[in-house]
Amino acid sequence: MGPLLCIVRKELIQLRRDKALLRLVLAVPMLQLLIFAYAINNDLKNVRVSVLDEDRTPLTRRLAEALYQADAFVPGPAPAGEADAAELLRRSETDLMVHVPRGFTRAVLRGESPQVGVVVDGTNSSTAGRAAGYTEAVLTREAVRLFRAEAGARAAAQTGRISTTTRFLFNPELESRIYMVPGIIVMLVTIISVFVTGMAVVREKEIGTLEQVRVTPLSTTAYLIGKTLPFAAIALVDLVLATAFAMAWFGVPMVGSPLTLLAGVLAYLTVTLGLGLLASAASGTQQQAMFTIWFFLIFAVLLSGFFVPVQNMPSWARALTWLNPMRFFMNVVRGVLLRGAGFADLRTEFLMLLGMGALAYGSAALRFGREGE
């Protein structure tokens, strides 16, 4: 037992001296538990509902207000017409559209069963079906209640049920793989670009070749760009292969332009490659770099909207997602593949990714520059 105890003691002393690793393995998991326990849930919350009211009567206005009183729904932008409503759904500015046709109030007061159109963004199949069912229940309940207030209880007994016609856009069959496969592509690109870059640079630190490079006339910027370009090419090849496989095998559509998707992945790679470099610059060993990147990936994946919609999260968690580049790239990939989104629809995502990329690359270059002095 003597030699074994010596080895254990040596490892404990080494671990105690590695303050950065101790912080990573003890403090960060507790922080993640605290955040994700609140942020990750499948409740139906903050679904943006837009109402196209063509009847414009007091009863239909109260019906729309009743929708927004439900905890699951929040008001979305008001469309000017059917074409505007379809455009709002395509740009992902609303999640669900309720179309109240002309003559709705007259039909209700006659005791008929008027039809109400419900159009749902079906890209997220898990929430689209529940949102449509919940909308139908709220509309039927509120129509009966409002009619009772207008015509009295006796007449209410003659009131027919509201008939809703529901249509799911972008994923008519509500197939979960149509929603999940683009998210898996995002994860593959992220893992490959961050991990490979981080490990490659910190390995050079450990074997000492980085010090040899620093005594050459090569500038820090040229070194970082030269180091990351091959990994960017590998990530692009993986993206092309994964997208082609997803289309051929899983039937994932490519509704938008491949050029928009290519521009999105290039903007995203500036962030992930820059973060890989930053993690390697801040780490002294491959073990530290691996833990740093792994904790970033857990945060990025669970707050990206991959498993649950961002709008389901509490307000403080939604604010945190603005720091998460994967959230914006997830919107780009799903938007281009499923909804046919273009540059104008995704300008916020592109601007955020380019800003984060400049910050990540700039921070990595600054850190490498300080280490070389």
Side-chain angles (χ1 to χ4, degrees), residues 59-222:
L59 189 143
T60 59
R61 281 194 288 275
R62 291 202 296 273
L63 194 65
E65 290 168 2
L67 274 173
Y68 300 138
Q69 288 172 2
D71 294 337
F73 299 140
V74 294
E82 289 191 45
D84 188 34
E87 188 61 18
L88 288 175
L89 283 163
R90 194 185 70 79
R91 294 201 302 263
S92 194
E93 293 183 10
T94 190
D95 303 306
L96 188 146
M97 185 71 60
V98 175
H99 180 196
V100 183
R102 288 188 181 86
F104 174 85
T105 303
R106 197 166 52 250
V108 168
L109 294 177
R110 284 202 300 260
E112 298 174 357
S113 298
Q115 280 201 339
V116 172
V118 177
V119 186
V120 189
D121 180 350
T123 50
N124 187 342
S125 56
S126 65
T127 58
R130 286 187 294 147
Y134 194 54
T135 304
E136 182 178 358
V138 171
L139 288 174
T140 303
R141 184 191 66 207
E142 292 303 320
V144 171
R145 189 179 67 81
L146 292 174
F147 177 76
R148 201 169 271 174
E150 293 277 338
R154 183 178 175 186
Q158 304 171 358
T159 305
R161 184 184 160 85
I162 287 184
S163 173
T164 58
T165 304
T166 305
R167 188 160 57 101
F168 297 100
L169 298 182
F170 317 123
N171 183 9
E173 304 298 326
L174 294 184
E175 296 178 63
S176 60
R177 68 173 182 273
I178 299 295
Y179 179 70
M180 297 302 287
V181 170
I184 295 171
I185 294 174
V186 171
M187 289 181 62
L188 290 176
V189 172
T190 307
I191 291 170
I192 290 168
S193 55
V194 175
F195 255 117
V196 176
T197 309
M199 292 298 107
V201 176
V202 80
R203 188 171 61 246
E204 289 206 30
K205 271 187 180 179
E206 288 184 329
I207 61 179
T209 55
L210 186 59
E211 296 302 320
Q212 296 172 4
V213 172
R214 280 179 174 147
V215 298
T216 67
L218 190 68
S219 67
T220 301
T221 305

Side-chain angles (χ1 to χ4, degrees), residues 280-361:
S280 64
S283 306
T285 64
Q286 292 188 61
Q287 193 180 23
Q288 283 182 10
M290 186 179 67
F291 272 110
T292 303
I293 294 169
W294 185 77
F295 286 125
F296 160 74
L297 287 176
I298 293 291
F299 168 81
V301 170
L302 294 182
L303 294 184
S304 66
F306 177 64
F307 292 109
V308 295
V310 171
Q311 60 264 28
N312 275 26
M313 302 174 189
S315 57
W316 59 267
R318 288 201 300 276
L320 278 180
T321 64
W322 282 86
L323 303 174
N324 183 9
M326 191 184 283
R327 168 197 166 166
F328 300 105
F329 188 50
M330 195 75 74
N331 289 346
V332 171
V333 173
R334 283 175 173 160
V336 172
L337 292 180
L338 305 183
R339 292 196 307 272
F343 285 107
D345 306 320
L346 299 167
R347 56 184 176 277
T348 302
E349 283 78 3
F350 277 101
L351 289 174
M352 290 300 297
L353 289 176
L354 290 173
M356 288 181 179
L359 184 63
Y361 249 99

